[in-house]
Amino acid sequence: MNFFMPARLYTGEHCFEKHGDILQGLGRKCTVITGRHAAKESGALKEVSETLASRNTDYSIFDGISQNPTVASCMEAGTSARAFGAEFLIGIGGGSALDAAKAAAVFAANPRLKEDGFYRKEWENPPLPIVLVGTTAGTGSEVTKVSVLTDSKGRKHSIHDDRLYAYASFGDSRYTMSLSLPITLTTGVDVLAHCTESYFSRKADSLSRSFAIQGICLLYEPLSAAAEGKPLSPQQREQLYEASIFGGLAINTTGTCFPHNVGYYLTENYGIPHGFASAAFLPDFLKLVVKDDRDYADSFFREIGFGEDAILSLTGKCLPKNSIAMTEAEILTALPRWENNGSVQNTRSAVTTEMIRKILIQKYQKS
C-alpha cells in the first residue's frame, strides 16, 4: 500500500462553526474563493462568514469561479487574494470552486507565475494554506491533491501535487440539501465513476479498493432514489456526501481511468456536465474490464453486493438523453489526445485509441 492524505477532515452539522478554532493559526486575513450562487444558496457562505467574524478574521470574497474553472480565473482569484493581503484561502462550493481555490493559492503566493509555469510546477513559493468547504457530493476534492482546470486553449487538465492538499476540509451535508436534481445526479454518477475506475486501476491496492467499495455501498441506495425523482432525506444526503469522500480517497491513491479523460472531451466540446460526461463511458469501461478479468470483476461485484446489470441500470437512469452527434473526421482529429495518456494507460485492461475510436463511433457518430 502507498497512502498519504494529510488534510484534516471534519464532517457533520455545523462542523465549520464547531471546529473553526483550527484556523486561528493561519492568520487574520483570508479570501473566500467561490462561485456566484451555490455558496450563498446552500447557506455555507453565511456560516463561514459568521464564523470568521466571530473569530476576528477579516475576509474578502472572490466569486468569479464558474463550472470547469479556467486557469485565468484562478490567476485572477490569486491576484485578488494577494491584493487583499490574504494569509490563507477558503474555497466554498463543489469541485470547481475547491479545485480553483487550490490553484488560486499557488498564484497568490507566486505573483510572476503564468499558466505554463503553473502546470510545470515552477512555483518559487509554496501555496497559501487552503481550507475547503464542500457543498456538493461529487469530486471528493476535499481529500485530494488534485486540481482540474481548463487551460487557455479550452482543454481540461489535472495537476497533482502534495502542496495542493487542504490544511483542513469541512463537509456539512446540510449544504447539499439545496442541490437540484440534475446536479445531484451528475455529482452522484461522478462518485460512481470514481469508485469503479479506482477499483479497476492498475494502481489499486487493498486500501484504495476498500475506499471504492465503501463509496459505492453508501452511494447506491440514495442515488437510486434520486434517479427515480424521489426527494432525498438528510440521512440520504449524508450518505451521498460520505460516498464522495470515499471516492476522493480512492482516486487520490489510484487516479482515474479512461472514462474520465475521454469524458473531458464531451465537457469541453459539448458542455456536458463533468459527472455525466465521465459516466457516459462507464458501461464501456465495465464491459472491457469484466471481459479481461472475470474473476477480479466478480470479486468487485461480490463486495458491493450487486452485479454489472445493476450498475448499468443505475447509470442509465441518471444520464440525460444523448444529444451529441460527431462526424468521423471530428473523432479522428480528437484521437491523438489519448495517445500515451496517463488516465487511459491507468486502466487495468489495455486501452488503445482504436478502441476509443470505436466507442465514440458507436455512441455518437452521425448516421
Side-chain angles (χ1 to χ4, degrees), residues 272-291:
I272 305 300
H274 168 71
F276 289 152
S278 299
F281 300 100
L282 207 50
D284 308 284
F285 179 77
L286 275 175
K287 180 180 179 180
L288 172 66
V289 295
V290 168
K291 178 182 177 182

Side-chain angles (χ1 to χ4, degrees), residues 42 47 145 205 208 228 281 346:
S42 67
E47 187 159 1
K145 60 180 179 181
D205 58 27
S208 68
E228 294 173 4
F281 300 100
N346 188 36

